[in-house]
Amino acid sequence: MSQTDVRTPEDLRAAEERLAAARERLKKVIRRSVYVYRIDCGGCNGCEIEIYAAFSPLFDPERLGIKIVATPRHADILVYTGPMTRPMRLPALRAYRAAPDPKIVVAYGACGCSGGIFHDSYGVWGGTQSLFPVDVFIPGCPPTPAATVYGMALALDLLHQKIRGETHTEEGTPAQVAPRYPEVSPALAVRIDREARRLCGYREGRRIARQYLEFVREGDPLAVDRKVKELVKAARDPRLAEVYLTLHQIYMNAGAPGGAEAAEGRS
Amino acid sequence: MLKLLRKVVQTGQVTLPYPFAPVEVAPDFRGKPVYDFSRCLGCSACARACPPQAITVEWSGQQGVATWSINYGRCIFCGRCEEVCPTGAIRLSEEFELAAARAEDLVVRAELQMTRCSGCGEAFAPGRELEYVQASLQAVRGTVGPVLAERLRLCPRCRRGAAARSRRAGLPGGGGSR
């Protein structure tokens, strides 16, 4: 962990003032487009691909007055991507020194913000923050082109920041957490949920399991049977029908409402 | 030249009005993981699954507080936390506008009270998790006996000791946690 990760309120205020001053000078003194230079400090190139996607005609940040340049000597914004690796820290510092003041430093991507998935790797010094103060963080792995445009607009004070730090404490919230599928036996719910996820992945599987268990929760076994048959008949995708029938098989084998105990006994 | 102009007219404008109008994201887009504190058990499944350790849970047995935290600046938006969460407390939203001027704004923290072991007095599990386990057992078995209810309030170490003692004494509840 870098020493800059823990910052005092004075440091924060100084950083905010510096960013505000840089923005003012960019707007008032320079009176032209801002130039962006990006430095890859050892990332996987995913961030570079997304930066160039962001500068494609689809998003076209040049209409906001943001251009990419080939040298830090022309740059107003420095975009650091990738974790700060040991061999790249000197080139990163050289680029920082070469860029004329006022400049805005942007940490781009999960690696640039904090070291990302490589944060505890050997030869990685952490995020961009481990070398010099960062003005704007753009998280993402990689950030989408839209997130890139948003981050650049935030750096230039065109848009407002949306995300805020939060701290939750347990006072005032109910201590009891409701189960994911209320009013269904947990043993049956787990079996249905697991099978659905095994068959079609966690996200789609959860959606299907939730719908199936909604039937179980509402009605008696006959009603469940009828509803599932209707659903299978209406399903355009034969795979979906197959998944519903498989889940229904589990429910029927478990022996309808009292089936939870039977399921528990077997597993 | 005319060919090019015709092409331009045919294609029309492709640039999105993005920063000034919302942009559409793909279905099942993996954006900001939104945390619902009222559904969190503090079970640490997400922290174990998180590849870059963006989610961490720090337990302090002495103070009796488990601190859950996520750092969006380290998150790789893989969705493992959503996959393993037993209650659906964390869910990937379609929110992607996460840029921030301060690293502190990228962190969400939550403090969960832990239950103290009725044997040795050390805090060993979040209270919500124990309540949830007890409610699940109640739903599956119909009833939770006094032995089991007592064992739930013991830390793993004390529970092993209690099981061994009751087995030696030939009491019910020996030979396993049931």
Side-chain angles (χ1 to χ4, degrees):
Chain A
M1 281 278 100
S2 64
Q3 70 280 19
T4 43
D5 271 5
V6 182
R7 294 192 290 174
T8 60
E10 289 81 51
D11 289 346
L12 288 175
R13 214 168 304 128
E16 268 165 25
E17 277 166 16
R18 205 183 49 247
L19 179 60
R23 279 168 173 165
E24 278 306 302
R25 284 181 68 183
L26 281 179
K27 268 194 285 193
K28 299 266 165 61
V29 180
I30 294 180
R31 291 177 159 278
R32 58 160 167 80
S33 295
V34 292
Y35 295 160
V36 176
Y37 179 71
R38 42 142 227 93
I39 305 111
D40 182 355
C41 302
C44 67
N45 254 306
C47 287
E48 277 66 45
I49 290 168
E50 293 298 314
I51 288 174
Y52 284 111
F55 279 82
S56 70
L58 200 60
F59 288 93
D60 194 22
E62 293 192 8
R63 81 204 136 104
L64 306 174
I66 304 166
K67 295 171 76 124
I68 286 195
V69 289
T71 158
R73 287 177 200 276
H74 299 164
D76 306 304
I77 297 183
L78 294 170
V79 176
Y80 285 90
T81 65
M84 193 57 72
T85 50
R86 204 185 68 90
M88 272 308 283
R89 73 196 196 283
L90 286 180
L93 273 173
R94 264 208 329 265
Y96 184 77
R97 296 225 179 101
D101 282 326
K103 58 196 161 206
I104 294 177
V105 176
V106 174
Y108 189 87
C111 300
C113 287
S114 68
I117 198 162
F118 305 112
H119 68 100
D120 54 356
S121 170
Y122 77 99
V124 168
W125 283 35
T128 312
Q129 225 182 354
S130 58
L131 281 197
F132 25 75
V134 173
D135 299 312
V136 173
F137 297 87
I138 307 181
C141 190
T144 59
T148 309
V149 173
Y150 174 80
M152 295 290 176
L154 184 75
L156 295 175
D157 211 12
L158 299 172
L159 297 175
H160 292 293
Q161 185 179 322
K162 286 190 176 171
I163 191 168
R164 290 272 171 255
E166 291 169 43
T167 302
H168 302 278
T169 50
E170 222 163 317
E171 286 153 27
T173 48
Q176 193 82 33
V177 176
R180 184 187 280 273
Y181 308 107
E183 296 169 48
V184 180
S185 159
L188 180 69
V190 162
R191 282 168 65 93
I192 297 275
D193 186 77
R194 222 173 253 176
E195 183 67 9
R197 279 160 61 189
R198 189 180 72 80
L199 288 170
C200 32
Y202 81 96
R203 201 147 196 187
E204 195 62 29
R206 279 257 161 87
R207 210 171 286 152
I208 291 169
R210 187 174 301 125
Q211 192 179 8
Y212 186 84
L213 288 167
E214 193 63 28
F215 295 155
V216 174
R217 193 168 72 89
E218 276 171 10
D220 56 318
L222 285 175
V224 174
D225 200 48
R226 184 167 47 77
K227 279 180 184 164
V228 169
K229 296 254 162 74
E230 273 171 21
L231 208 66
V232 166
K233 209 177 274 178
R236 287 238 184 96
D237 192 341
R239 295 171 299 179
L240 189 62
E242 183 67 30
V243 171
Y244 273 116
L245 286 176
T246 313
L247 297 185
H248 195 48
Q249 193 81 39
I250 291 176
Y251 176 63
M252 293 316 261
N253 284 352
E261 280 77 14
E264 173 72 2
R266 264 203 311 280
S267 59
Chain B
M1 182 68 190
L2 275 175
K3 212 171 158 187
L4 192 69
L5 273 175
R6 194 162 65 227
K7 190 91 187 163
V8 167
V9 172
Q10 267 174 5
T11 313
Q13 189 186 339
V14 294
T15 305
L16 300 170
Y18 164 59
F20 311 108
V23 70
E24 213 175 290
V25 296
D28 280 340
F29 175 78
R30 295 199 300 263
K32 176 189 177 189
V34 175
Y35 177 59
D36 180 357
F37 179 59
S38 66
R39 297 194 64 77
C40 182
L41 298 176
C43 66
S44 312
C46 47
R48 288 179 68 105
C50 187
Q53 289 142 34
I55 301 178
T56 52
V57 179
E58 281 168 15
W59 288 24
S60 166
Q62 243 112 61
Q63 289 175 358
V65 173
T67 309
W68 185 97
S69 76
I70 182 166
N71 181 358
Y72 293 118
R74 186 170 284 167
C75 176
I76 59 166
F77 305 90
C78 60
R80 296 297 137 238
C81 46
E82 183 187 3
E83 183 178 352
V84 298
C85 183
T87 56
I90 193 153
R91 190 160 171 76
L92 268 60
S93 66
E94 295 186 340
E95 179 68 37
F96 61 84
E97 292 166 331
L98 302 177
R102 303 191 316 161
E104 289 77 7
D105 280 336
L106 295 172
V107 177
V108 172
R109 300 159 65 81
E111 287 180 356
L112 292 124
Q113 295 300 321
M114 292 168 78
T115 302
R116 289 188 183 278
C117 171
S118 58
C120 61
E122 192 167 327
F124 71 101
R128 287 177 174 193
E129 192 182 2
L130 284 182
E131 292 291 330
Y132 185 83
V133 167
Q134 191 156 3
S136 302
L137 283 173
Q138 185 99 35
V140 172
R141 299 160 66 100
T143 165
V144 176
V147 176
L148 185 54
E150 195 199 318
R151 293 278 164 84
L152 270 176
R153 305 283 148 189
L154 290 174
C155 70
R157 196 187 157 88
C158 293
R159 197 181 307 151
R160 275 200 297 278
R165 275 195 299 279
S166 62
R167 191 180 177 85
R168 198 193 294 160
L171 291 174
S177 60
R178 296 187 182 209

